Amino acid sequence: MIQENQNCLRECESEKKQCYEECYVVKKPCPCGPMPGKALLKCARGSVGPLPLIAAGVLLPTSYPVGSITIDTRELCNPTVLLNFNFIINVPVGLLTTLTFTVFKCCNGCTNPVGESFTFSEILPAGLATTSFSFQICDCSNCCGCETYTVQITNATLLGAGVSVSAQMTAIAVENIC
């Protein structure tokens, strides 16, 4: 019985060694593939509303900030930041609703738009309506420090007052080691 257990242990050790060699020796990464680097993940929430009635063609007196997210990329080499924005739009009266979202980046005291603007436009049914809208932006510009990304409503047509928007935001920053 003792001899059987020792043989079994040797077989198990042999299998572990073979598996280890397969995973780490035989299947090692290709030298031409990218090397893994550091990554950061940040999440945030935001909201705005209720918004006033805004007729078509009327310029907004100011933009409406929905939320912001800050990520510190100082420890990353040549970072790329993927921003993901998911919105829930609540409309108390079913009418044409058009919202244009723009993302701004603040770094070292400077604020600049990131990527293109994204427009939600839909005729919602009468009564309380809730719908969702999402988009992603990839920011490859370097910044030495904390980067704050703010999403704002920069243009809108709201044919009924009381629209509110809530947002879930994520920022994933990864190193580009090439």
Side-chain angles (χ1 to χ4, degrees):
M1 184 74 140
I2 292 174
Q3 185 64 33
E4 265 181 49
N5 285 342
Q6 286 178 344
N7 288 341
C8 182
L9 286 173
R10 279 190 212 116
E11 286 177 23
C12 288
E13 290 301 316
S14 174
E15 285 177 27
K16 284 182 188 175
K17 183 178 179 187
Q18 182 180 357
C19 179
Y20 175 82
E21 288 173 355
E22 254 184 59
C23 293
Y24 294 98
V25 178
V26 178
K27 295 181 183 178
K28 65 183 176 181
C30 172
C32 60
M35 295 298 295
K38 297 177 192 170
L40 300 170
L41 170 67
K42 292 290 183 173
C43 300
R45 291 178 181 221
S47 63
V48 64
L51 298 172
L53 177 108
I54 303 169
V58 174
L59 293 176
L60 293 180
T62 181
S63 60
Y64 294 98
V66 180
S68 63
I69 189 165
T70 300
I71 192 162
D72 186 353
T73 60
R74 281 182 282 205
E75 297 295 320
L76 300 180
C77 177
N78 193 23
T80 296
V81 180
L82 175 65
L83 301 158
N84 189 6
F85 298 93
N86 295 297
F87 303 96
I88 299 294
I89 301 166
N90 293 303
V91 181
V93 179
L95 293 169
L96 172 67
T97 300
T98 302
L99 300 166
T100 300
F101 297 94
T102 304
V103 177
F104 294 92
K105 174 181 172 178
C106 180
C107 181
N108 298 329
C110 297
T111 301
N112 296 308
V114 178
E116 60 187 277
S117 295
F118 294 85
T119 301
F120 165 84
S121 185
E122 200 170 308
I123 297 175
L124 298 169
L128 181 62
T130 300
T131 189
S132 62
F133 180 69
S134 63
F135 62 85
Q136 291 183 356
I137 293 179
C138 191
D139 181 24
C140 299
S141 62
N142 289 329
C143 175
C144 298
C146 286
E147 302 169 4
T148 299
Y149 295 93
T150 302
V151 63
Q152 298 179 9
I153 297 172
T154 53
N155 197 4
T157 299
L158 305 172
L159 299 182
V163 172
S164 63
V165 178
S166 59
Q168 175 68 43
M169 301 163 280
T170 54
I172 301 171
V174 295
E175 288 185 320
N176 279 326
I177 303 172
C178 301

